[in-house]
Amino acid sequence: MKTSILVVILFSFTLAKQLYDVKKSYVTPVNEINFEKQINKIRQTTKYVTIVHFYKYSDGESRSFASKYDEFTNEYKGIFRIASCDCDEAEKICQKESVSKFPTFRVYPPYPVPAVDYEGPLEIDGILKLATKYIHNNVIEITETNINTFINENPTVPKVVLFSEKKGFPLVYKGLSVEFEKKLSFGIVRSSEKALLDRYNIKAFPQLLLIKANEKKPYAYKGEYKFKPMFDFLNVHSEVFVPGGGSSADSAATKEWMMQVVPQLHQRSANDICLKVEGVICVILMNNGDKPNNELVDELKKLNQQYERHINRGTVFKFMWLDVKTESKWGQALEFQGEPKIVLLNPSKRKRFAIHDGEMTFEAIQRTLEKLISGDLKFKNLGESLPDFVKIDL
């Protein structure tokens, strides 16, 4: 009998220590059994951001703050993964995570970004502000210039477009773009895009449309602009198995260099505009800085227009510019000497280049291009490999 009473007392004490009711709360409890799966595996394989409340029942602040954390979870579940860890019960995990201060609210972004502790006053707004910094954003800016590329690329993938009169990207919308990655593509149109407002008959903001390439009329969302109802609406239309599907961030509509006549040559653009384009000659304006002279760029635009009309002549020219101050390895390889100059690069297996020797005018550069077409231009070998570009962090 005494043993039974002791068991009941111990069981009641254990229940009393729980800050979050597993039957009612959306806060996910993590412990020594599931921490690896719920935290580390998620960081390795997804773009979700996880917030963990490390606490001890006796720490003095967690009990009074738990209800606020619960309310926060109810509103932001889906955007963040929100968890708690009882360091009285999961002592080894807390030691392994070097948690010694209670409460500790720690944000776990996707790898390789390190976890970070919230250091401010104990308030939800501060925790939210910290976690929001690490939310991935698959939403791209849509304008009259790239709307058709966005809609028509990967036609089996439905497109989601938010029309907004506010600056920035709504947190809920960024969260949805992560949730539906590879199933839906997300874009945002600003209220200044008058032509697109007219095209889609937008009279008020915000307005969310889901557009399918094979259907004339878009689906308009009419619910609250909160994660759960928006998720339910989009989930109906999302495609689980999408041939050729991908993230909005992979869309050509996000690649501004694909819409520019004379784009910048750098790590991200190189394959699209030069290095992996079959049969191309890259006409590169080498510039000692990040902004080439507008007059020189205009000359290249005129040349592009000229040679686009004669593409059937067999030689394809792509015009671009290179910041040699940043890409010093390229400057050295292509014999840059400080003043702007034109280099013609053949990026094929033989990897050769020729230097335009003359004035930087439409007529003079055209003469060099014609010499190349006729086979009279002298090239220099670059060797088996091209220089490396400076890495650009996404």
Side-chain angles (χ1 to χ4, degrees), residues 141 162 164-171 174 188-191:
E141 292 275 358
L162 176 67
S164 176
E165 61 183 346
K166 295 182 179 180
K167 296 180 179 180
F169 297 86
L171 178 59
K174 290 195 289 187
I188 189 167
V189 175
R190 307 298 177 182
S191 57

Side-chain angles (χ1 to χ4, degrees), residues 181-350:
E181 187 171 31
K182 299 188 183 300
K183 298 178 183 180
L184 300 170
S185 293
F186 287 75
I188 189 167
V189 175
R190 307 298 177 182
S191 57
S192 57
E193 293 289 331
K194 303 301 183 184
L196 295 185
L197 303 186
D198 292 339
R199 175 172 171 174
Y200 290 100
N201 195 30
I202 304 300
K203 304 296 184 184
F205 303 96
Q207 177 63 65
L208 184 78
L209 299 182
L210 186 135
I211 303 169
K212 294 187 177 182
N214 60 345
E215 297 184 20
K216 293 183 178 180
K217 189 175 180 180
Y219 297 85
Y221 174 68
K222 298 180 180 179
E224 284 187 287
Y225 282 79
K226 295 184 177 181
F227 186 90
K228 183 60 168 62
M230 293 175 76
F231 172 89
D232 291 340
F233 169 77
L234 296 174
N235 196 41
V236 173
H237 299 282
S238 68
E239 303 290 343
V240 178
F241 302 104
V242 180
S247 165
S248 303
D250 298 326
S251 169
T254 66
K255 301 176 179 181
E256 66 273 9
W257 54 87
M258 298 294 283
M259 271 76 72
Q260 294 169 345
V261 178
V262 184
Q264 183 179 0
L265 179 65
H266 50 62
Q267 183 203 25
R268 293 185 63 201
S269 68
N271 287 343
D272 291 329
I273 65 175
C274 177
L275 303 188
K276 299 296 183 181
V277 182
E278 187 176 354
V280 72
I281 295 295
C282 308
V283 183
I284 306 171
L285 167 59
M286 302 184 69
N287 187 70
N288 192 20
D290 61 355
K291 290 184 179 180
N293 184 288
N294 288 335
E295 293 181 1
L296 294 179
V297 172
D298 288 342
E299 297 294 90
L300 294 186
K301 288 180 179 179
K302 289 190 289 183
L303 286 162
N304 177 77
Q305 187 177 20
Q306 173 73 18
Y307 284 96
E308 270 189 334
R309 299 170 185 167
H310 303 289
I311 199 167
N312 59 348
R313 295 177 66 178
T315 302
V316 178
F317 294 113
K318 293 288 186 180
F319 297 86
M320 61 205 67
W321 66 276
L322 178 72
D323 175 7
V324 186
K325 188 174 183 179
T326 299
E327 305 291 351
S328 57
K329 291 182 180 179
W330 278 85
Q332 184 177 358
L334 299 179
E335 302 179 2
F336 183 73
Q337 296 178 350
E339 295 297 322
K341 73 177 195 178
I342 297 290
V343 171
L344 282 64
L345 172 67
N346 184 341
S348 63
K349 289 184 179 180
R350 294 177 63 185

Side-chain angles (χ1 to χ4, degrees), residues 62-82:
S62 289
R63 276 180 286 174
S64 59
F65 193 72
S67 60
K68 297 177 182 178
Y69 194 60
D70 249 333
E71 292 174 6
F72 166 72
T73 304
N74 291 340
E75 183 173 354
Y76 290 96
K77 63 180 182 292
I79 301 174
F80 303 103
R81 301 182 76 260
I82 304 174

Side-chain angles (χ1 to χ4, degrees), residues 6-18 57 86 88-89:
L6 179 61
V7 169
V8 170
I9 292 173
L10 289 174
F11 181 69
S12 300
F13 180 70
T14 300
L15 287 178
K17 288 179 64 178
Q18 293 179 346
Y57 191 77
D86 182 348
D88 287 319
E89 294 185 354

Side-chain angles (χ1 to χ4, degrees), residues 140-160:
I140 64 175
E141 292 275 358
I142 301 299
T143 66
E144 189 178 4
T145 303
N146 67 357
I147 181 67
N148 291 330
T149 301
F150 176 71
I151 297 297
N152 296 321
E153 187 177 51
N154 293 328
T156 58
V157 180
K159 310 303 188 296
V160 185

